[in-house]
């Protein structure tokens, strides 16, 4: 079984699909959690405190990091194999997919942007929250202000009060949208669902999932930025 997953092209795609499914489910959870920050900053901070430097949160972080690493490594391996076998045609699909042809041809580049965005996100949030607690601290400096490691809402507010962070994150979310429109469809195709009947359904599902994730994350960024530049958006007027 292990040889099949490592040496077989189908096995590698299966690992990509399983790890991708895991990451999509986590992204949906993370997006839902972030939306709470719009509805109730206090409730969001309660979630942040619950998911601090606790053993279950740390275990989840390790599993998540492993999933990202496996997904990215197998993406590199598959891309290199595809280059050797078919030149610049990176992903072979059994059904022509005009709507996301650009994404399908640029999955690795989109993946790199997603990973760079992830590193930026970790530096802005994880390094100032869970990592601070792991190192025995309680606060971190953000935009010249000391913020408690459990005050996620304030950290979001300060981070997205800077316009360049807003732009960087929106670019990241757009790349993630393109990556998911093809990735979710390709993930389901690997298990054999991309026939004439299921193809339009899977394409629609991939677009819906990607759009929900994009809108959910972007809403938090935009709302908090508008609150920082317009007091009326924060209910001050």
């Amino acid at each position: 079984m292990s040889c099949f997953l490592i040496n077989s092209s189908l096995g590698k795609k299966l690992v990509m699909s399983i790890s991708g499914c895991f990451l999509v489910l986590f992204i949906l959870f993370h997006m839902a959690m972030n939306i709470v920050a719009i509805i109730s900053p206090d409730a969001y901070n309660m979630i942040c405190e619950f998911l601090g430097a606790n053993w279950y949160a740390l275990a989840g972080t390790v599993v998540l990091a492993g999933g990202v690493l496996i997904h990215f490594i197998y993406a590199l391996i598959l891309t290199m194999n595809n280059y050797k076998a078919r030149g610049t045609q990176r992903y072979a699909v059994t059904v022509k997919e005009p709507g996301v042809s650009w994404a399908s041809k640029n999955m690795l580049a989109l993946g790199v942007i997603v990973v760079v965005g992830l590193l930026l996100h970790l530096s802005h949030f994880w390094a100032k929250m869970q990592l601070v607690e792991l190192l025995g601290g309680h606060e971190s400096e953000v935009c010249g202000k000391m913020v408690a490691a459990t005050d996620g809402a304030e950290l979001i507010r300060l981070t997205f009060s800077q316009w360049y962070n807003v732009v960087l994150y929106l670019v990241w979310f757009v790349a993630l949208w393109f990556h998911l429109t093809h990735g979710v469809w390709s993930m389901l195709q690997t298990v054999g669902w991309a026939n004439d009947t299921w193809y339009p359904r899977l394409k629609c599902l991939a677009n819906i999932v990607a759009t929900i994730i994009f809108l959910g994350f972007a809403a938090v960024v935009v709302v908090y930025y508008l609150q920082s530049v317009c007091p009326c958006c924060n209910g001050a007027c």
Side-chain angles (χ1 to χ4, degrees), residues 1-22 70-71 73-83 85-86 89-95 182-192:
M1 182 65 178
S2 60
C3 292
F4 168 73
L5 296 178
I6 295 174
N7 299 323
S8 166
S9 176
L10 181 59
K12 294 171 185 174
K13 290 180 179 180
L14 184 61
V15 172
M16 282 284 292
S17 297
I18 295 173
S19 60
C21 180
F22 166 72
I70 290 172
H71 193 74
I73 289 176
Y74 270 77
L76 289 175
I77 294 173
L78 281 170
T79 300
M80 292 174 62
N81 290 345
N82 287 333
Y83 267 131
R86 295 181 295 274
Q89 185 179 347
R90 300 182 185 181
Y91 286 81
V93 295
T94 57
V95 180
H182 179 74
V184 172
W185 175 84
S186 180
M187 174 180 70
L188 296 172
Q189 181 211 23
T190 299
V191 299

Side-chain angles (χ1 to χ4, degrees), residues 39-190:
I39 302 171
S40 173
D42 290 337
Y44 179 75
N45 285 343
M46 289 177 61
I47 297 175
C48 292
E49 187 173 0
F50 178 73
L51 296 176
N54 304 300
W55 69 268
Y56 46 84
L58 294 176
T61 300
V62 172
V63 172
L64 177 62
V68 172
L69 187 61
I70 290 172
H71 193 74
F72 189 70
I73 289 176
Y74 270 77
L76 289 175
I77 294 173
L78 281 170
T79 300
M80 292 174 62
N81 290 345
N82 287 333
Y83 267 131
K84 292 178 181 178
R86 295 181 295 274
T88 58
Q89 185 179 347
R90 300 182 185 181
Y91 286 81
V93 295
T94 57
V95 180
K96 182 65 176 177
E97 190 184 3
V100 292
S101 59
W102 183 87
S104 68
K105 294 178 182 179
N106 294 276
M107 285 296 281
L108 183 63
L110 290 168
V112 170
I113 296 175
V114 170
V115 170
V116 171
L118 175 62
L119 294 175
L120 179 68
H121 180 62
L122 291 175
S123 69
H124 280 157
F125 294 94
W126 179 78
K128 293 177 172 62
M129 299 178 75
Q130 190 177 73
L131 181 59
V132 169
E133 292 188 81
L134 287 174
L135 296 177
H138 301 284
E139 294 181 324
S140 59
E141 184 176 350
V142 182
C143 298
K145 180 179 178 180
M146 298 306 296
V147 180
T150 56
D151 194 352
E154 180 66 8
L155 186 56
I156 292 176
R157 187 186 70 80
L158 292 173
T159 300
F160 297 123
S161 66
Q162 309 296 321
W163 67 267
Y164 48 84
N165 283 334
V166 175
V167 172
L168 289 173
Y169 273 77
L170 290 179
V171 170
W172 180 32
F173 298 152
V174 169
L176 182 61
W177 183 88
F178 277 110
H179 193 77
L180 290 175
T181 53
H182 179 74
V184 172
W185 175 84
S186 180
M187 174 180 70
L188 296 172
Q189 181 211 23
T190 299

